[in-house]
Amino acid sequence: MRADRKTYIPLKIVIAGGFGVGKTTMVQALSEIPPLVTEEALTTASVGLDDVSAVPGKTTTTVAMDFGRISMDDLVLYLFGTPGQDRFWFMWDELARGAVGAVVLVDLRRVDDCFPAIDYFESRALPFVVAVNRFPGADAFPDDEVRDALALRADTPIVRVDARSSTSCTTALIALVEHALARSGGDSRASTGTFATPLS
């Protein structure tokens, strides 16, 4: 006789943001399975294209996507990290298809780098939260100044995270799920697209 198994609702979440903001680090910190990463070494071909001045220790970059999974209560969250450079933006449509929402990671030292991601999700009416990664100096700017600088809607959540900490990053995922539920009227399946079938 088959034992009862818990039923999970799968949700797809996109982790987006500019180059070197911590997307791969966040997926790695959160994933309960060995994450799939598609990092390649930075070479001289990227000189003049990829600004590493704010992250001088960075030697690799995502060229396709990162993938991880995390279980929370009755949810299974599938995490898809996007590449940050504009030459890889053609992949974003595929990564975002069927997503319940997105986390936009922000480095306040390089705020201009996050605008493409914010514009992308706003133009597609996809719920997102802004996660300010705790790079040096990030805490000097309160949330209201961040909201004004990024021209965010009043209902867009802002959270503070350390992309290296699973506990910290989990707060961003919880904020996103709550925000997406509020946008959909409380139905956890209303905005999940192809990820609406429960897993058992």
Side-chain angles (χ1 to χ4, degrees):
M1 180 176 179
R2 176 183 171 182
D4 290 339
R5 298 176 62 187
K6 186 173 181 178
T7 298
Y8 293 92
I9 297 174
L11 302 177
K12 181 181 182 182
I13 289 177
V14 177
I15 311 295
F19 169 73
V21 78
K23 301 180 295 296
T24 298
T25 301
M26 184 175 185
V27 172
Q28 290 174 327
L30 284 167
S31 184
E32 63 192 16
I33 62 173
L36 167 68
V37 297
T38 59
E39 290 202 312
E40 295 293 339
L42 290 170
T43 67
T44 55
S46 69
V47 174
L49 296 175
D50 302 327
D51 182 6
V52 298
S53 59
V55 283
K58 186 171 179 60
T59 59
T60 61
T61 186
T62 299
V63 296
M65 68 172 187
D66 302 314
F67 173 77
R69 185 189 73 198
I70 180 174
S71 301
M72 297 171 55
D73 297 325
D74 60 346
L75 304 176
V76 175
L77 307 182
Y78 294 96
L79 311 174
F80 289 80
T82 68
Q85 301 97 316
D86 54 6
R87 61 185 180 276
F88 296 127
W89 285 349
F90 67 91
M91 300 186 61
W92 282 36
D93 285 343
E94 288 299 323
L95 294 178
R97 183 171 289 114
V100 68
V103 174
V104 178
L105 268 175
V106 176
D107 178 354
L108 292 182
R109 302 170 301 176
R110 301 173 290 146
V111 293
D112 288 350
D113 292 351
C114 71
F115 283 117
I118 291 173
D119 291 344
Y120 181 90
F121 298 120
E122 283 185 341
S123 68
R124 288 157 178 79
L126 190 68
F128 68 94
V129 300
V130 167
V132 177
N133 201 357
R134 292 187 182 276
F135 285 108
D139 291 336
F141 302 93
D143 286 355
D144 58 346
E145 291 186 15
V146 173
R147 186 176 302 280
D148 289 343
L150 302 182
L152 298 175
R153 290 172 34 147
D155 65 342
T156 301
I158 297 174
V159 295
R160 305 281 174 150
V161 303
D162 180 340
R164 301 165 297 183
S165 165
S166 61
T167 301
S168 176
C169 293
T170 297
T171 64
L173 298 183
I174 292 171
L176 173 60
V177 171
E178 291 176 343
H179 180 52
L181 285 174
R183 287 272 300 268
S184 66
D187 183 352
S188 63
R189 304 186 187 198
S191 58
T192 58
T194 59
F195 282 74
T197 303
L199 297 175
S200 58

